[in-house]
Amino acid sequence: MGIILSIIIGCVAGYAGSKLFSGSSNGLLMNLIIGIIGGCVGNFVFGLLGIGGDSIVWALISATIGAVILLWLISLIKK
């Protein structure tokens, strides 16, 4: 998958993750950055579990889950 498509998917995942995780009040730009990093986290976690796919839908799902994980960790640090 190309880098531009990965960034777009990460941005969408960050927005979706911020809507799914109610404790996130970081602002739109920060949530988009968290989504991009969350895409890496999601790919890493699912890679460890041996779960994965090559479709855009799978990339969006794993990036969204990674963004939610990252938002949860950030909320723990902020407390």
Side-chain angles (χ1 to χ4, degrees):
M1 185 176 346
I3 188 77
I4 301 296
L5 188 59
S6 295
I7 291 172
I8 292 170
I9 288 173
C11 289
V12 171
Y15 179 75
S18 70
K19 296 300 176 190
L20 291 173
F21 187 74
S22 62
S24 64
S25 60
N26 299 313
L28 181 63
L29 183 61
M30 189 63 176
N31 284 337
L32 296 180
I33 292 170
I34 289 170
I36 294 169
I37 297 169
C40 297
V41 170
N43 286 332
F44 177 73
V45 168
F46 286 116
L48 287 176
L49 296 174
I51 304 170
D54 290 332
S55 69
I56 293 175
V57 174
W58 175 253
L60 183 59
I61 291 169
S62 67
T64 302
I65 292 172
V68 169
I69 290 170
L70 197 57
L71 286 167
W72 175 69
L73 290 173
I74 289 171
S75 73
L76 288 177
I77 293 170
K78 283 186 174 181
K79 288 183 180 182

